[in-house]
Amino acid sequence: MSETQYLTVASLTKYLKQKFERDPYLERVYLIGEVSNYRNRQNSHQYFSLKDEKAKINAVMFKSAFQKLKFSPEEGMKVLVIGRISLYEATGQYQIYVEHMEPDGVGALYQALRERQEKLAAEGLFSGEKRALNKYPEKIAVVTSPSGAVIRDIMTTIKRRYPLVELTIFPTLVQGNQAAPDIVSSLKQADEGNFDTIILARGGGSIEDLWPFNEEIVVRTIYSLQTPLISSVGHETDTTLADLVADVRAATPTAAAELAVPNLQEEWLKLKEREQRLLTSMTTRMEKERTRLATVMESYVMKQPHRLYENYSLALDRQVIAFKQAMKNTLYDKEAQFQDVTHRLKQQQPKARIDLASQQADYLERQLLAAKDYYQQKKEQQFIELAAALDMLSPLKTMTRGYSYVTKDEKIVKSVKQVAPQDEMMIHVADGTIQSTVTTIQHTIEGEV
């Protein structure tokens, strides 16, 4: 019995990977499924899943393939995928490596067109204020292919309708990868050429053929133009982003030419019609004014012109009289006011007031001096009377009559009890003092005089 050989997990996984890659049916697989677990990784490879109601498969889309997509995948979007099936050895899971992807049911270009339209609409490029076309243009620029039916239709229509206009053709690529930059260049040249109108035109075709007119650089250039632009791209059922941003959209190149210029014959007929209407109106107006003039001439005012201003003359006389009376009243009032002010001013003259004040001051001064003399005399008399009364009460006055008083140690002796024999005393008389010594003390008997 032979010995059993065991494989490593890595060996088995590698073997299975080779099986996947060598299978010719798995080299190019076409799948339809719903995008799941999608998260846009900026500037990197994309990892997500494709699923239907019964199964799910992991998917990888390398950066180089993802950058070629003309739409942005979204979670839940149903897509058509082309790729190869292989196995990722690290996890042992099989997955599809997506090489191409487009929305199911809607082509990639239509999806890209819808997304771009939504983006530019959000910026306000399609809802901005449209420039008005010049009704009577002098110069028109046509940006289109120099060959083909488009330019012939435009030139024929403009020449037939309005041969006065100057038409300038800007030969431009209108299909292919280089068409968008060429369209932008021609539009900018035309915008700088002092044209009244620009016509951007192209014949019909598939969405791929018309794709340059959906490019963002073309749309933004049209939005930035200063010259009004008419867009006529594709057939009537085709709508490009250039049509949406243009000031006017025309269904066909012929319609664009008709919108760009008026019909000279029709304008001439309109002028003739307006001329006739103006003549009729002027004739009617003149007849009406003649009738009115005749009526006025028959009026009494025209026959007696002086009656026209009689009432005004009377009113003017009344106004003049009233004015004169008002002036007299005003003058009288002003004179009375002047007299009153003059009188008050005289009463308020400073010299008279100063003289009066000086007289009052002199009178008050005399009154003051008289009052002072009277007051002084009165006080002098009071002083003499008080001095006499005081003199009568003075001890010195009594002493002149022979009285004296005795002091001992500068104290008045009022009783014999205050002295003793041999005490020194001073006897005060009217004209001096006498020093004496006590030799005998004699007490007065009570009741004896």
Side-chain angles (χ1 to χ4, degrees):
M1 185 175 180
S2 60
E3 187 175 328
T4 302
Q5 184 176 359
Y6 291 88
L7 296 175
T8 64
V9 176
S11 298
L12 177 60
T13 305
K14 185 174 182 180
Y15 175 77
L16 293 175
K17 179 179 175 65
Q18 292 175 356
K19 283 290 185 179
F20 274 100
E21 291 182 347
R22 291 175 182 176
D23 190 329
Y25 295 102
L26 300 180
E27 289 182 355
R28 191 165 186 82
V29 178
Y30 298 83
L31 288 182
I32 180 172
E34 183 180 306
V35 176
S36 178
N37 299 323
Y38 176 76
R39 179 173 62 85
N40 188 356
R41 295 170 172 81
Q42 297 292 332
N43 200 27
S44 179
H45 307 315
Q46 303 298 317
Y47 304 91
F48 54 96
S49 301
L50 294 174
K51 68 177 183 177
D52 55 23
E53 296 178 354
K54 297 180 180 180
K56 181 173 71 172
I57 182 174
N58 291 334
V60 178
M61 194 169 191
F62 291 119
K63 175 182 174 182
S64 58
F66 184 76
Q67 290 178 337
K68 295 178 181 179
L69 292 182
K70 295 185 178 180
F71 74 102
S72 298
E74 297 177 2
E75 182 74 15
M77 180 183 289
K78 197 171 184 181
V79 294
L80 301 175
V81 170
I82 302 174
R84 60 183 177 86
I85 304 296
S86 184
L87 185 141
Y88 185 55
E89 294 183 54
T91 61
Q93 293 180 334
Y94 83 95
Q95 56 194 14
I96 182 169
Y97 291 83
V98 179
E99 298 171 357
H100 177 75
M101 180 168 61
E102 65 181 45
D104 179 36
V106 181
L109 288 177
Y110 285 104
Q111 179 67 16
L113 176 61
R114 182 181 65 84
E115 294 176 356
R116 184 171 296 168
Q117 181 176 344
E118 292 176 354
K119 172 188 174 183
L120 297 178
E123 296 182 23
L125 268 67
F126 304 137
S127 59
E129 184 178 355
K130 303 298 184 180
R131 295 171 286 264
L133 298 178
N134 190 331
K135 188 173 182 180
Y136 303 103
E138 297 180 2
K139 296 172 60 179
I140 294 179
V142 180
V143 177
T144 187
S145 173
S147 61
V150 172
I151 187 61
R152 290 196 301 271
D153 291 345
I154 293 175
M155 293 176 64
T156 301
T157 302
I158 290 180
K159 184 177 180 181
R160 172 176 52 83
R161 289 173 57 86
Y162 199 69
L164 303 178
V165 74
E166 177 185 336
L167 199 64
T168 302
I169 310 300
F170 287 83
T172 307
L173 292 175
V174 294
Q175 184 173 331
N177 294 332
Q178 300 300 319
D182 199 36
I183 293 171
V184 170
S185 176
S186 296
L187 288 175
K188 290 182 178 179
Q189 292 180 40
D191 194 40
E192 296 172 355
N194 195 28
F195 289 95
D196 297 306
T197 307
I198 298 175
I199 297 176
L200 176 62
R202 187 202 187 285
S206 65
I207 186 172
E208 290 84 359
D209 295 336
L210 302 180
W211 191 255
F213 297 90
N214 292 318
E215 294 289 355
E216 190 170 336
I217 58 172
V218 174
V219 177
R220 294 190 181 278
T221 300
I222 295 174
Y223 181 78
S224 65
L225 296 178
Q226 301 299 317
T227 308
L229 181 136
I230 302 173
S231 175
S232 175
V233 178
H235 298 298
E236 186 173 358
T237 56
D238 298 322
T239 301
T240 65
L241 300 184
D243 295 327
L244 298 179
V245 75
D247 298 295
V248 178
R249 183 192 177 220
T252 63
T254 301
E258 292 176 350
L259 290 171
V261 296
N263 189 315
L264 186 60
Q265 186 64 29
E266 292 178 0
E267 295 298 320
W268 176 254
L269 292 176
K270 289 179 183 179
L271 287 175
K272 296 298 291 183
E273 181 184 352
R274 291 179 181 178
E275 180 184 12
Q276 186 60 41
R277 289 172 58 187
L278 181 61
L279 289 174
T280 302
S281 176
M282 290 301 297
T283 302
T284 303
R285 180 69 180 271
M286 290 178 64
E287 289 298 328
K288 183 179 179 180
E289 294 299 326
R290 286 195 186 97
T291 302
R292 182 184 174 192
L293 178 61
T295 302
V296 171
M297 294 300 295
E298 291 297 323
S299 65
Y300 73 92
V301 173
M302 297 303 296
K303 293 180 178 181
Q304 298 178 7
H306 62 278
R307 295 179 59 181
L308 182 64
Y309 57 86
E310 283 180 349
N311 292 334
Y312 294 102
S313 179
L314 293 175
L316 179 61
D317 289 341
R318 286 194 295 269
Q319 293 288 342
V320 171
I321 294 172
F323 177 74
K324 289 181 179 180
Q325 185 61 41
M327 288 297 296
K328 289 180 179 180
N329 295 338
T330 302
L331 183 60
Y332 176 78
D333 292 341
K334 295 300 181 182
E335 287 180 350
Q337 293 177 5
F338 176 75
Q339 293 297 333
D340 179 62
V341 171
T342 302
H343 178 69
R344 284 186 293 163
L345 183 61
K346 288 181 178 180
Q347 290 181 343
Q348 298 298 326
Q349 287 185 356
K351 186 175 184 305
R353 294 179 62 186
I354 292 173
D355 292 342
L356 179 60
S358 179
Q359 293 175 5
Q360 291 178 348
D362 292 341
Y363 173 75
L364 292 175
E365 184 180 5
R366 289 195 298 272
Q367 291 290 96
L368 180 61
L369 291 175
K372 184 199 69 167
D373 293 342
Y374 172 75
Y375 182 78
Q376 184 176 0
Q377 291 176 2
K378 182 178 180 180
K379 292 300 179 182
E380 287 178 355
Q381 182 63 32
Q382 290 177 352
F383 175 76
I384 292 173
E385 292 176 355
L386 291 174
L390 182 62
D391 186 57
M392 293 297 294
L393 297 175
S394 174
L396 296 177
K397 188 71 174 177
T398 304
M399 293 174 68
T400 58
R401 296 198 301 268
Y403 290 95
S404 64
Y405 66 92
V406 180
T407 61
K408 174 187 173 183
D409 298 330
E410 298 183 355
K411 294 182 179 180
I412 298 175
V413 178
K414 298 180 180 180
S415 172
V416 292
K417 296 177 181 181
Q418 294 178 255
V419 297
Q422 302 303 316
D423 287 344
E424 296 292 333
M425 296 185 305
M426 298 297 292
I427 300 172
H428 297 268
V429 294
D431 56 352
T433 59
I434 301 172
Q435 185 177 2
S436 65
T437 302
V438 178
T439 57
T440 303
I441 298 173
Q442 184 178 354
H443 292 274
T444 303
I445 300 174
E446 186 175 355
E448 184 177 334
V449 181

